[in-house]
Amino acid sequence: MSVETACHEFPWSANTMQSCLSGRYFNGAIFEQEQLIGFYIGEVAGPDHTLMDICVAPAYQRQGVAKILLTDFIAVSEEAGAENLFLEVRASNQGAIALYQWAGFSEVGIRKNYYPSANGNEDAILMAMTLNFGSQSSL
């Protein structure tokens, strides 16, 4: 929770985080000297996987940690036989959007007023990637 609350102005609740640690969810994490510095939470929905949350402690941001986590999410999804990957990202989060595009995700839609913000609500960009036999291509 400490990494989640340090990264997000509107973090998930402890109950939400706890509910995403089993069942149809999977996760990955990076530690440095036994301290959690980044994690992701993925969800399995039939043949599709969704990146629900990806978070890097502020002191470790812009150092490639998110790229490692995203690469792991994609690899785990491929190994599990996922067909499509999805995620939502704040429209204002240009760094994350660039990372997702680098990995092969493409914009497929907008979710109006999806995220809470200090000034009301902010749109989410829905992004997707199709996985085919171990190679990545955009939807």
Side-chain angles (χ1 to χ4, degrees):
M1 277 307 301
S2 62
V3 174
E4 174 74 11
T5 57
C7 292
H8 299 296
E9 185 177 1
F10 296 91
W12 285 6
S13 70
N15 286 340
T16 299
M17 291 290 289
Q18 185 65 37
S19 72
C20 292
L21 297 178
S22 62
R24 67 182 187 266
Y25 299 97
F26 61 99
N27 58 69
I30 296 177
F31 293 85
E32 184 172 279
Q33 298 176 359
E34 299 183 22
Q35 179 181 350
L36 178 68
I37 63 168
F39 68 89
Y40 71 81
I41 297 171
E43 178 184 27
V44 177
D48 301 328
H49 287 185
T50 300
L51 181 63
M52 301 298 293
D53 194 6
I54 188 167
C55 200
V56 177
Y60 295 91
Q61 292 177 0
R62 309 258 186 254
Q63 298 178 33
V65 176
K67 184 180 279 190
I68 294 167
L69 290 166
L70 181 60
T71 300
D72 186 69
F73 168 76
I74 294 167
V76 168
S77 296
E78 282 183 314
E79 289 171 18
E83 295 175 8
N84 301 294
L85 305 180
F86 295 96
L87 61 87
E88 290 100 9
V89 58
R90 285 181 182 271
S92 64
N93 193 343
Q94 294 303 306
I97 292 167
L99 174 66
Y100 299 141
Q101 289 172 335
W102 166 87
F105 284 86
S106 298
E107 182 178 332
V108 295
I110 301 287
R111 297 191 193 280
K112 292 286 186 190
N113 300 312
Y114 186 78
Y115 288 110
S117 72
N119 301 322
N121 290 313
E122 179 178 355
D123 293 347
I125 297 175
L126 176 61
M127 300 185 83
M129 174 193 297
T130 298
L131 300 177
N132 292 316
F133 306 108
S135 67
Q136 301 166 13
S137 63
S138 298
L139 273 179

